[in-house]
Amino acid sequence: VDELAQKLGVDPIDLRLQNGVKDGVKAAYGPTFANIAYLETLQAIKDSPHYKVKLGPNQGRGVAAGFWFNIGGSRASMAMMAAETLGIAVEKVRPIVADTSSIGFSMLTGGSRVTFATGMAVVEAANKVIVDLKSRAAKLWDVAVDQVAWRDGQAFCLDASKDVKPFTLAKLAAQSGRTGGAISAESAINAQGAGPGFAVHLCDVEVDPETGQVTVLRYPAAQDVGKAIHPSYVEGQVQGGVAQGVGWALNEEYIYDRDGKMENSGFLDYRVPVASDLPMIEAILVECAPNPRHPYGAKGVGEVPIVPPLAAVGNAVSAAIGVRMADLPLSPPRIVAAMEAR
């Protein structure tokens, strides 16, 4: 798309904005897109101050957009959703990871489905706990269950004839032995309703014309995340995807000798980015299209940010040296060879 924009003499983001997918458009593989924020993610990069920086000699800018049909996450995200549902402080929730023999068989924990799928189960289980707590409060107050309301982490008696104070979760738990034993609930679900995610990345680079060494100068990454349950975790996933993608684009490759033996089988020779190889990666979280099929609007985020970096870096390096690079990685020997051929 950047090549087309260059030939047409138009801004590469404007070209994408004119032709970008939106709600109601049918995807190439069948489903119809709904609740997506691709255009807003493009606009977020266009509005970024990084996009307005003027480039100097031997510098280039690349833009790329990516998509993944998500179905990310951690214990902290689960705790936050449980706390929100129960109406209590997140510090009061302690997630415990079970082993596979203590639960039924389910889909794997991987990719971009943890916060989405497990979060749905957590919320459902927390709602079952609320039903149980209301029943226990009704028993202690000697009223019908429909005369008990749960809000802000407390049970309230709606029966005007009862002059009673609300029960906190802690007070109900303290009396659980009198009302039926341990307070617990479980949920087994087949999570459906995945929310697709889009990402737009901007990469500015500088190429040393003598050595072909590439320095990444700026890298903002905007992503349609639905609702970021734990924003700093989401930012970390976006930054991690960018770091991995930059490594693929610039350095990472298997090198074999004539006998088929790998010559760079260790991390001393198989070059991956370290902190000093990267700028501060700015993660821009676009939250205008929450996933309506998730209780808190979550979309998977872990895989989306690995899609655009190779193209974004490739476009930036090609613009910097004036030669269209078509093979990865964009290692110094390849860049020098391309410049010499030019």
Side-chain angles (χ1 to χ4, degrees), residues 34-38 41 70 116 195-198 223-229 234 284-294 296-301 304:
N35 303 105
I36 62 172
Y38 173 48
T41 306
N70 291 306
F116 171 78
F198 291 80
Q223 187 162 319
D224 165 22
V225 300
K227 176 63 178 176
I229 304 299
V234 176
I284 304 171
L285 308 185
V286 179
E287 298 183 272
C288 62
N291 182 2
R293 296 167 295 279
H294 187 276
Y296 293 113
K299 295 180 181 179
V301 298
V304 184

Side-chain angles (χ1 to χ4, degrees), residues 246-258:
V246 168
W248 284 3
L250 294 180
N251 305 109
E252 296 184 43
E253 69 175 322
Y254 300 137
I255 300 173
Y256 298 91
D257 64 17
R258 293 181 179 180

Side-chain angles (χ1 to χ4, degrees), residues 302-318:
E303 291 166 297
V304 184
I306 198 63
V307 181
L310 283 74
V313 176
N315 288 335
V317 171
S318 298

Side-chain angles (χ1 to χ4, degrees), residues 16 19-21 36-43 65-66 198-200 224:
R16 290 173 169 90
N19 298 279
V21 67
I36 62 172
Y38 173 48
L39 299 184
E40 293 83 354
T41 306
L42 283 165
Q43 193 64 48
F198 291 80
V200 180
D224 165 22

